[in-house]
Amino acid sequence: MKPSIDDLLEQGLLEPPPGFERRVMARIAAEPRAKAPPARIRRALQWLALLAGAAFGGAQLLAFAFGTWTVAVAY
Amino acid sequence: MDYTDLTRRIRRGEAEAFAELLRHLQRPVFGYLGRLGFSAAEAEDLAQEAFLRAWRGFERFDPARAPLPAWLFAIVRNLAMSALAEHRRCRSTALEETAEMVDPAPGPEREIESADRREALRAALGRLPVADRSALALCYYRGFDLATVARIEGCSEAAVKQRLYRARKQLKRLLEEEHEAVDR
């Protein structure tokens, strides 16, 4: 019986070559992992940056509104 | 597989935990790369690079955003898309080199027939648009639902459905054409 297209696609057209795991793990052992901040801290920093940006944007908007109001009441 | 525990162990720097992840996902990764039309040698290079990047950047993995296999597949997909864009690949190179990697079928006749069908399928896959091919290739990994595929592909679920529909339709047509050409 011929295998269907779905069967062939599910089987995959490539298999991991022998020794693949060994080669990857050897490369991993050869180089130390770079330390990045943990996800929780990174997320907190992202929020902090977002809040700082929002505060700055808000301040700019207020300054613009105040300037417009000042000009409007002056004349 | 318990990815929570695995994630914790990899974060602690346990190489053995990463080896477990590698053993668990290497087959689906190669399956995906094969369905994209990469040769055995190219797939090995890409898979090695992807696992290495995953190890190096594991601290950036956020389980709240995506499950571990989806995160790894996103790395594989990005590398694969870059490689496809860079080389503007011709599917024939992949066909020649991957022939040796095909799983043998039980008997010689079935082996030839099965290899022929695989080759025809590979050729047809190579003629699909890259985005459609990638969505199709990801969908055949049983661990992924439509939402996960959409997240990896960076599009909506509706777009994935459309790509799948288009890819399957085109694949069927291409294989029928191929079949008719052989019969003639």
Side-chain angles (χ1 to χ4, degrees):
Chain A
M1 199 178 81
K2 284 181 182 178
S4 71
I5 300 305
D6 282 336
D7 289 341
L8 286 173
L9 281 169
E10 264 179 40
Q11 282 165 23
L13 300 167
L14 281 182
E15 289 290 319
F20 174 72
E21 183 194 330
R22 187 175 36 79
R23 285 190 289 278
V24 175
M25 293 315 291
R27 283 185 70 182
I28 281 173
E31 57 177 287
R33 205 167 74 188
K35 280 277 173 196
R40 212 179 309 147
I41 295 175
R42 215 178 53 252
R43 235 189 344 251
L45 287 173
Q46 280 172 351
W47 273 109
L48 204 67
L50 190 69
L51 287 174
F56 181 73
Q60 290 289 311
L61 193 68
L62 279 175
F64 173 74
F66 180 70
T68 311
W69 176 76
T70 311
V71 171
V73 296
Y75 293 98
Chain B
M1 187 172 214
D2 183 8
Y3 289 118
T4 316
D5 180 53
L6 205 62
T7 302
R8 205 179 308 120
R9 287 170 54 208
I10 296 172
R11 282 230 168 92
R12 281 202 302 258
E14 276 185 42
E16 183 47 41
F18 193 80
E20 270 179 49
L21 177 74
L22 198 157
R23 276 193 293 275
H24 185 66
L25 290 177
Q26 61 177 348
R27 205 181 155 93
V29 164
F30 271 88
Y32 170 68
L33 292 170
R35 286 190 287 271
L36 279 181
F38 285 100
S39 70
E42 287 167 326
E44 161 136 21
D45 286 348
L46 286 171
Q48 273 200 27
E49 188 58 34
F51 280 110
L52 209 63
R53 283 192 188 187
W55 170 257
R56 283 184 200 140
F58 202 80
E59 290 296 337
R60 283 194 295 275
F61 165 59
D62 184 356
R65 284 190 175 179
L68 190 47
W71 178 72
L72 186 90
F73 264 84
I75 297 174
V76 178
R77 183 198 176 271
N78 288 343
L79 283 170
M81 292 301 117
S82 302
L84 286 172
E86 195 179 315
H87 300 304
R88 295 183 180 278
R89 295 178 38 76
C90 169
R91 75 183 189 287
S92 59
T93 53
L95 298 183
E96 288 159 16
E97 292 176 36
T98 47
E100 68 203 65
M101 297 303 294
V102 170
D103 271 349
E109 280 176 19
R110 282 192 63 184
E111 188 178 334
I112 291 166
E113 190 183 328
S114 189
D116 284 349
R117 283 177 67 79
R118 280 195 176 91
E119 192 132 330
L121 177 62
R122 219 177 270 127
L125 281 167
R127 290 170 67 184
L128 297 181
V130 174
D132 295 0
R133 209 188 319 165
S134 178
L136 188 76
L138 281 171
C139 278
Y140 277 90
Y141 173 48
R142 283 170 190 268
F144 290 156
D145 56 12
L146 215 56
T148 310
V149 174
R151 197 182 295 131
I152 295 171
E153 288 289 321
C155 62
S156 66
E157 285 184 45
V160 172
K161 274 186 196 170
Q162 197 180 8
R163 285 180 192 179
L164 284 175
Y165 172 75
R166 208 165 42 207
R168 286 204 176 104
K169 197 174 158 190
Q170 199 177 348
L171 198 60
K172 201 177 164 199
R173 185 178 57 77
L174 288 168
L175 288 168
E176 278 170 3
E177 279 175 13
E178 168 75 22
H179 192 66
E180 281 165 18
V182 170
D183 285 349
R184 256 184 250 132

